[in-house]
Amino acid sequence: MKDNADASSDFTGTTRGAPVISLSALGKVIGGKAILSNISADVEPGTIVGLLGKNGAGKTSLIDVLLGFSPPSSGSSRVFGESSFELPAAAKGRIGFVPQQDELLDSLTGAQQLALNAALHPAWDEALIARLVREWEIPLDRRIQVFSGGERQKLATLLALGHEPDLLVLDEPASSLDPIARRRFLGELLAIAESPTRTVLFSTHIVSDLERIASKVWIIRDGRLAWAGDLDTLQESVVRVTLFARDDLPAELAIDGVVSQRRDGRRMQLVVTGWQEERQREVADRWGADVTVERLGLEEIFLELHA
Amino acid sequence: MDRNLQPPPPRIFTLEPASGVPIYRQLIDQVRRLVASGHLAPGAELPSVREVSAEYTVNPTTISKAYGLLELEGLVQRNRGKPMTIAPLRRNRQALTQRLRQIESQVDSLILAARQLDLQATDLTTLIEQKMSEEK
C-alpha cells in the first residue's frame, strides 16, 4: 500500500486503499493549444471530489482524459490502477458517467431507455432504480423527447447509478434541477460515498452544492490545478485580512501568500492563502494596526483565486 | 434506504455550508455551546454521523472529523454500538490528550508493522477493541 501522509490527518478511521484516480503531470494539447497542464492529483476511495472551474477552464477535457475518451498528450491518467486510455472492460464496468449532454434516445419512453441500459449490465439494481424513479418523480411512461431538462438530467443520472459503479463521474450534474430535486440528488451522492469503496467526482459551477457534499475540492484554472485538497483546509487557509493602522501603510506588507490586496491610506484589505491564526498577532504588532480576519465562503475564494 | 423509515432527528444544529466556516468547525462550536448552556447535559445522545449527514445533506467526513476532535477534547464519548454521548465530567479533558500523547510512539510503531503486513486500520481497531474488552 502506498504510504500516504494524508492518512494521519484522517479522524474518520476509514481505511484508505489504493487511489481510485491517479493523475501525474497530466497534460493535454488540442490543436497546438494547451488545454490541461501539469495536473497531478490522487483520489482515495470513499471521497467526493468537487471539480470547480469557470467555463472553458478544462473541466470537461479533464474528465474526457480521465475516462479514456481521449489520450493524454503528456503525463499519465490512471483509474483503478489502469491507464485511462487503455482501460480494460472490467474496469470500465465499474464506472458510471453522466455527461454534460445526455445521450438519451428521444424516441424511447423513459421505461424503454431504462430497460435498454439494464440489459447492458449484468448486475442492475432494480430496487434502487425503482426507488429513485419514485423519489425523483421521473415520468417513465412518456417519450424522452417531451421530458423537461431536469427530467432528462435525472434519467441520465439514474442510468449511471443502476450498475452501482465504484466510480461515479458527473459533468455539471444537477444544473437543470430545481432546489428540492437538487437536494435529493446531493443526498443520493452522499449515500453512494458512504461506502468506503465508492468514489464520486463531479464538476460544477454551483459552488453551494460543492460546499455541502464535497470532501475534496479541485479548482481548475486555465487548465491547471489552482487548488487540490480538503475543502476544510481550503476554507481555513484562505482568509480576508483587514488592517486599520494608526499611520499610512506601505504599498507592500511582506505577508506571504497574498492573492489580492486593496489599500486606502491607513486601511488595507488582503486575501491571503496559507493563513495561520497566530499570524494575526504578528501582523498587528508589526504594522501597529487593528487586524480582523474573516473567513470566506467558497464562492468568494473561487472569485478571489480568479481575480 | 432504512433512513427513510426512521423519524427525522430533531435539528439541534444549524449548519451553514456557505458561511465560510468549515462545517466541522461549526459543529464543534455548537456542541461546545450547547454543553456550556446545559442544552446538552452529560449523557445526552448525539445524532450519528450518518443522521447528521443525511439530515443536513453534508459530507459525513466533516461530521466524523468534528466528533473525533470533540472526543479528543474529552467533551463527548464514543460508546460501543450506541450513539455518542456528552461526557460525564470535563475533568479528564486535559488528561485524555496527554495520555494519548504518551501512547503515540507505540501507535506509530504499530502502524508501521501493520503497513508492512498490509493490514487496514479497521482490522487493527477490531483487534484492539476485542483485546481491550476481553481484559475488562
Side-chain angles (χ1 to χ4, degrees):
Chain A
M1 197 167 74
K2 204 175 122 193
D3 187 4
N4 191 334
D6 195 28
S8 60
S9 66
D10 182 22
F11 286 92
T12 62
T14 50
T15 55
R16 303 204 170 181
V20 176
I21 296 171
S22 186
L23 307 176
S24 176
L26 179 70
K28 178 75 184 174
V29 178
I30 299 173
K33 186 173 183 288
I35 307 293
L36 300 171
S37 307
N38 198 26
I39 292 184
S40 297
D42 283 355
V43 178
E44 309 295 334
T47 40
I48 300 184
V49 182
L51 177 58
L52 193 59
K54 286 199 303 191
N55 296 326
K59 301 191 295 288
T60 299
S61 302
L62 181 59
I63 288 174
D64 281 350
V65 174
L66 187 77
L67 295 177
F69 299 145
S70 76
S73 306
S74 55
S76 72
S77 165
R78 304 182 84 79
V79 174
F80 303 126
E82 311 271 2
S83 165
S84 294
F85 197 57
E86 295 141 345
L87 216 53
K92 280 184 186 155
R94 295 170 62 195
I95 299 174
F97 176 48
V98 185
Q100 212 169 340
Q101 298 293 329
D102 69 59
E103 286 155 5
L104 303 172
L105 300 167
D106 280 344
S107 57
L108 301 184
T109 64
Q112 287 168 334
Q113 176 82 65
L114 265 182
L116 182 67
N117 281 65
L120 297 174
H121 293 285
W124 189 257
D125 190 339
E126 295 286 356
L128 171 77
I129 295 301
R131 173 173 68 84
L132 292 179
V133 164
R134 200 169 56 243
E135 287 181 9
W136 293 4
E137 299 166 340
I138 302 176
L140 281 191
D141 51 339
R142 298 223 305 263
R143 277 190 196 284
I144 290 169
Q145 61 193 2
V146 300
F147 272 32
S148 70
E151 287 163 349
R152 291 187 77 107
Q153 211 161 35
K154 287 190 271 193
L155 181 59
T157 307
L158 263 197
L159 297 178
L161 293 179
H163 62 297
E164 296 190 277
D166 287 324
L167 170 62
L168 178 65
V169 178
L170 310 104
D171 196 1
E172 300 277 351
S175 53
S176 318
L177 302 187
D178 63 62
I180 296 164
R182 258 224 331 265
R183 189 58 72 83
R184 281 185 180 158
F185 162 77
L186 296 178
E188 216 53 52
L189 295 188
L190 284 176
I192 289 169
E194 220 169 56
S195 154
T197 61
R198 302 180 73 191
T199 306
V200 177
L201 181 139
F202 73 106
S203 78
T204 188
H205 52 248
I206 304 173
V207 175
S208 60
D209 287 354
L210 205 148
E211 275 175 318
R212 284 193 170 276
I213 68 159
S215 49
K216 301 267 180 190
V217 181
W218 292 359
I219 296 179
I220 188 164
R221 179 185 171 186
D222 299 332
R224 293 173 182 272
L225 271 187
W227 173 273
D230 285 356
L231 174 60
D232 291 338
T233 312
L234 175 64
Q235 288 177 322
E236 282 174 340
S237 78
V238 182
V239 295
R240 180 183 291 130
V241 181
T242 306
L243 287 83
F244 199 80
R246 285 182 285 277
D247 306 309
D248 277 2
L249 286 161
E252 296 293 332
L253 297 188
I255 293 174
D256 289 338
V258 173
V259 176
S260 67
Q261 65 173 50
R262 277 180 285 262
R263 186 172 62 109
D264 173 21
R266 296 188 294 147
R267 194 165 172 274
M268 192 154 177
Q269 207 164 53
L270 312 108
V271 172
V272 182
T273 63
W275 181 258
Q276 284 153 334
E277 276 172 29
E278 56 271 21
R279 286 170 68 187
Q280 182 163 351
R281 267 295 284 282
E282 290 168 28
V283 171
D285 291 349
R286 167 126 193 228
W287 302 105
D290 286 333
V291 177
T292 53
V293 177
E294 280 167 275
R295 294 181 189 280
L296 303 178
L298 188 56
E299 183 149 333
E300 282 177 278
I301 293 175
F302 180 69
L303 291 171
E304 290 289 352
L305 288 177
H306 284 81
Chain B
M1 232 184 290
D2 53 348
R3 70 171 58 169
N4 294 328
L5 301 175
Q6 293 164 0
R11 284 193 166 236
I12 58 171
F13 306 121
T14 309
L15 302 181
E16 292 170 15
S19 69
V21 180
I23 293 166
Y24 85 92
R25 287 246 181 169
Q26 296 182 33
L27 198 54
I28 288 174
D29 290 345
Q30 287 176 33
V31 171
R32 282 187 190 142
R33 283 202 295 269
L34 289 165
V35 168
S37 65
H39 283 103
L40 285 176
E45 290 183 357
L46 286 172
S48 71
V49 168
R50 204 175 162 205
E51 283 165 349
V52 178
S53 163
E55 178 68 13
Y56 297 87
T57 326
V58 291
N59 192 291
T61 318
T62 195
I63 312 296
S64 303
K65 187 167 164 181
Y67 281 5
L69 288 167
L70 285 166
E71 191 189 8
L72 270 182
E73 198 179 297
L75 199 58
V76 305
Q77 64 182 33
R78 231 171 261 279
N79 306 294
R80 290 191 66 194
K82 287 188 196 148
M84 287 185 91
T85 49
I86 301 299
L89 276 176
R90 299 192 66 183
R91 67 186 148 84
N92 284 342
R93 179 180 174 163
Q94 203 59 35
L96 179 67
T97 43
Q98 279 169 355
R99 280 179 292 159
L100 278 173
R101 206 166 292 144
Q102 284 179 33
I103 208 175
E104 211 171 279
S105 63
Q106 280 101 319
V107 174
D108 286 343
S109 48
L110 179 67
I111 290 171
L112 182 68
R115 286 227 170 93
Q116 288 165 346
L117 291 165
D118 203 20
L119 290 170
Q120 307 290 315
T122 45
D123 301 330
L124 287 184
T125 46
T126 309
L127 181 65
I128 291 169
E129 278 171 7
Q130 193 188 325
K131 292 270 180 192
M132 287 183 82
S133 65
E134 276 169 15
E135 279 164 25
K136 264 183 189 169

